[in-house]
Amino acid sequence: MAEITSLHAAIGSLLHDGDTVAMEGFTHLIPFAAGHEAIRQGRKNLTLIRMTPDVIYDQMIGAGCAKKLIFSWGGNPGVGSLHRLRDAVEKDWPQQMEIQEHGHGDLSNAYVAGAANLPFAVLRAYAGSELPNYNKNIRFIECPFTGEKLAAVPAIRPDVTVIHAQKADRKGNVLLWGILGVQKEAVLAAKRAIVTVEEIVEVLDAPPNACVLPSWTLAAVCHVPGGARPSYAHGYYDRDNRFYQAWDEISRDRESFSQWIKKHILETADFAEFQKVLKENAKEQLV
Amino acid sequence: MSGANYTTTEMMTVAASRLLKNGAVCFVGIGLPSTAANLARLTHAPDIVLIYESGPIGAKPEVLPLSIGDGDLAERADTVVSTPEIFRYWLQGGRVDVGFLGAAQIDKFANINTTVIGNYKKPATRLPGAGGAPEIASCAKEVVLVLKQSPRAFVQKLDFLTSVGYLDGGEARKKLGLPGKGPVAVVTDLCIMKPDETTKELTVVQLHPGVTREQVQKATGWEIKFAMNVKETPAPTETELRVLRDLLQRTAVAHGQAPAA
């Protein structure tokens, strides 16, 4: 059964230095509040997994939380590069970071294999691509029935998966909808799962076939309204694109980045303070 | 181009959109491909089925998405499925007619690089990476590529081969046994290229109005070949330009990048 608790307590007790962690979301429901809390608590040596690492992983990488990144597309969606990710890969700042890169089909299959408790995923891809030359976790196998050569990748089994969702009930059952990416698979593949939610309600009222994660698949549920900002939560709020654009400028420079992290994460009590800044300021003042 | 009432980017977008047939199932990359695919849907191809890798199938966005996973894509789609399902059932399952992609670098056999510029281990520029492109390039029945033409993008040798076109040409792709046929056209701001039937080398088949062969050669990092009969791309029609500009204007207003009219 999930414990309904504060985000501070959940990250404190469930996410440890050195863990392999997936904070998933495909541009929707990005768990920004949880990422900020990991930075605030000074997590180190994490292996970060995500299909589409974006601004929150850029912040965690720049803040020195990550020793390795497993991913398939790393960018500031709709804006451009992730400057902290690039600085880590190109110039080892703030520390050397190993990368292991895949394609989306491959990484999403690897989560499915993790959720299914299988050792690896199989797919038809990568013939002719150079990616397998640089990622020893992409290999080829022969189909035992037809002899066809297929790609294989090891299952993903994070120590911790963190996602953001729209609703939970008082028992900790979680409902999410809209663009769901690999959130369900990432939760079911993980040893421990933390979900932050927009609201806690008496009854979920979920229609059949809705994406519900039962309380007993989760370790913690945390009530963090706005916890996906500046990304969006379908039915609750839109993406704050001003911040994605502002981030391009903030993150270009090590000094302005470090100042920003200090001011808006390290010296704040919780995510509500950053949300207040987002709400009350014009784009120019976000920098 | 002097005197033309449209830009080279508009010409490229329009030319790319015309290649998409009504009713085709099209797996769309973000950016230029998404703009061209939606232009096709709003002009000659109202029944085109747009699939975005984040999960929407049959997307009909009112404005162009900021990112590959905008809520508007989900809201107006026929259905929204998970990302593993998109790649497993729909793309690998063989249901995608056209994969519509961009690239940072392309070579003469339409192999593409979206991974790094420079050395992989110590890159000069770290690019976003593969995304869905390797699987789309393998499994879509056909691939159409759209990107601006310059010597930096059209290179003799890729810094990294992310997604496969025709490898080193001829029968090389066929020998790999990939389900998809590979790239059938590359649309740029200067011209349209198609792979030669035998060698698979990209060959200019259409020049956009006012563009010279010298211009194309200057923007290409290898000695570019021209087809026997190079045609001129018909200029964008008034309707195409109006619909495209309306779409871009609506988009800018919706994303707070332009004041409402």
Side-chain angles (χ1 to χ4, degrees):
Chain A
M1 290 290 282
E3 193 185 345
I4 297 184
T5 182
S6 73
L7 180 57
H8 177 79
I11 294 291
S13 62
L14 296 168
L15 178 63
H16 313 126
D17 286 354
D19 274 352
T20 295
V21 56
M23 295 190 175
E24 270 297 347
F26 214 106
T27 79
H28 176 214
L29 297 173
I30 309 307
F32 268 93
H36 278 205
E37 187 57 30
I39 294 172
R40 195 175 288 112
Q41 294 192 23
R43 286 294 170 279
K44 298 275 178 235
N45 293 319
L46 300 175
T47 293
L48 298 176
I49 312 176
R50 174 131 172 239
M51 292 183 65
T52 52
D54 58 17
V55 171
I56 187 58
Y57 270 20
D58 208 38
Q59 293 174 352
M60 292 176 74
I61 290 165
C65 302
K67 68 167 181 199
K68 182 174 178 180
L69 174 68
I70 301 175
F71 74 110
S72 41
W73 188 89
N76 181 343
V79 177
S81 288
L82 291 179
H83 300 295
R84 296 298 98 222
L85 165 60
R86 282 186 55 182
D87 206 16
V89 174
E90 295 167 13
K91 304 209 172 74
D92 297 335
W93 193 90
Q95 62 196 52
Q96 199 179 19
M97 184 179 72
E98 189 189 341
I99 57 167
Q100 178 184 316
E101 64 178 306
H102 298 260
H104 283 342
D106 153 7
L107 211 44
S108 61
N109 269 283
Y111 276 114
V112 171
N117 195 23
L118 284 169
F120 67 91
V122 60
L123 71 157
R124 191 181 283 116
Y126 291 124
S129 168
E130 279 188 79
L131 270 172
N133 303 348
Y134 294 89
N135 180 349
K136 63 177 177 11
N137 277 336
I138 300 170
R139 299 186 192 178
F140 293 96
I141 57 164
E142 200 173 86
C143 167
F145 305 102
T146 64
E148 184 182 357
K149 190 183 168 195
L150 296 162
V153 288
I156 287 177
R157 305 301 302 262
D159 294 314
V160 186
T161 285
V162 186
I163 64 165
H164 186 77
Q166 281 100 338
K167 280 181 191 179
D169 65 18
R170 298 204 180 279
K171 288 179 181 162
N173 299 299
V174 164
L175 170 67
L176 58 164
W177 67 88
I179 285 176
L180 296 179
V182 287
Q183 279 102 311
K184 177 178 173 180
E185 291 77 9
V187 163
L188 296 179
K191 295 187 187 118
R192 306 182 288 280
I194 302 170
V195 185
T196 54
V197 294
E198 286 300 321
E199 57 177 333
I200 294 185
V201 296
E202 290 304 322
V203 268
L204 284 182
D205 241 343
N209 310 106
C211 185
V212 171
L213 295 165
S215 176
W216 47 270
T217 63
L218 310 171
V221 169
C222 315
H223 184 210
V224 188
R229 283 204 165 98
S231 81
Y232 76 102
H234 205 131
Y236 290 77
Y237 45 87
D238 291 334
R239 158 163 152 155
D240 189 341
N241 200 45
R242 300 171 316 147
F243 185 78
Y244 283 81
Q245 291 170 333
W247 185 250
D248 189 62
E249 196 181 326
I250 295 163
S251 62
R252 253 173 215 277
D253 175 72
R254 290 175 187 172
E255 184 58 25
S256 63
F257 165 79
S258 300
Q259 285 300 325
W260 190 92
I261 291 285
K262 192 162 165 247
K263 184 172 168 195
H264 295 293
I265 300 183
L266 298 177
E267 291 179 351
T268 59
D270 60 28
F271 195 66
E273 290 191 39
F274 169 62
Q275 288 202 62
K276 199 159 171 274
V277 171
L278 265 188
K279 196 180 282 178
E280 291 175 359
N281 287 281
K283 185 178 158 194
E284 300 69 43
Q285 293 160 308
L286 294 173
V287 175
Chain B
M1 281 297 295
S2 59
N5 63 340
Y6 53 88
T7 67
T8 54
T9 303
E10 286 174 333
M11 181 70 255
M12 168 168 60
T13 309
V14 166
S17 80
R18 288 172 185 160
L19 296 179
L20 301 176
K21 295 188 186 78
N22 194 21
V25 178
C26 185
F27 200 116
V28 190
I30 206 69
L32 278 173
S34 172
T35 310
N38 280 290
L39 176 60
R41 180 175 64 80
L42 296 169
T43 51
H44 67 278
D47 295 324
I48 195 167
V49 179
L50 304 186
I51 297 185
Y52 287 80
E53 64 193 14
S54 56
I57 296 175
K60 294 168 275 291
E62 174 66 17
V63 299
L64 294 172
L66 279 169
S67 77
I68 200 86
D70 276 21
D72 190 39
L73 293 174
E75 209 119 273
R76 297 163 191 272
D78 296 335
T79 182
V80 184
V81 302
S82 71
T83 302
E85 188 178 321
I86 280 283
F87 282 95
R88 289 156 67 90
Y89 298 172
W90 301 87
L91 178 61
Q92 193 172 262
R95 294 182 183 277
V96 172
D97 297 321
V98 189
F100 202 9
L101 300 172
Q105 278 186 337
I106 183 168
D107 68 14
K108 68 165 74 165
F109 296 114
N111 304 297
I112 61 174
N113 172 19
T114 51
T115 303
V116 289
I117 303 296
N119 177 286
Y120 183 78
K121 301 256 176 195
K122 248 346 160 205
T125 306
R126 175 63 233 195
L127 301 168
E135 292 95 356
I136 296 166
S138 301
C139 292
K141 287 175 196 159
E142 293 180 351
V143 172
V144 172
L145 295 160
V146 54
L147 72 163
K148 287 197 179 182
Q149 199 158 350
S150 78
R152 284 177 65 191
F154 285 69
V155 295
Q156 181 73 34
K157 188 169 174 9
L158 298 179
D159 289 347
F160 192 96
L161 198 167
T162 315
S163 307
V164 64
Y166 294 100
L167 283 179
D168 46 2
E171 297 285 300
R173 181 184 172 105
K174 218 172 170 183
K175 283 185 192 146
L176 289 178
L178 297 168
K181 192 156 85 175
V184 294
V186 178
V187 182
T188 78
D189 48 343
L190 301 177
C191 65
I192 298 179
M193 299 168 217
K194 294 195 170 172
D196 178 84
E197 271 183 38
T198 316
T199 66
K200 303 298 180 192
E201 184 172 335
L202 288 176
T203 306
V204 177
V205 296
Q206 279 186 34
L207 289 169
H208 299 333
V211 175
T212 65
R213 292 181 179 222
E214 290 70 34
Q215 264 177 289
V216 174
Q217 180 57 68
K218 231 177 140 185
T220 311
W222 67 86
E223 202 176 317
I224 186 83
K225 293 204 164 77
F226 293 84
M228 293 284 278
N229 296 306
V230 177
K231 294 185 178 139
E232 183 177 278
T233 311
T237 65
E238 271 180 39
T239 307
E240 285 167 331
L241 284 177
R242 181 175 43 78
V243 173
L244 174 59
R245 287 169 185 174
D246 283 353
L247 175 63
L248 294 174
Q249 174 63 20
R250 275 208 298 284
T251 299
V253 170
H255 299 326
Q257 288 148 353

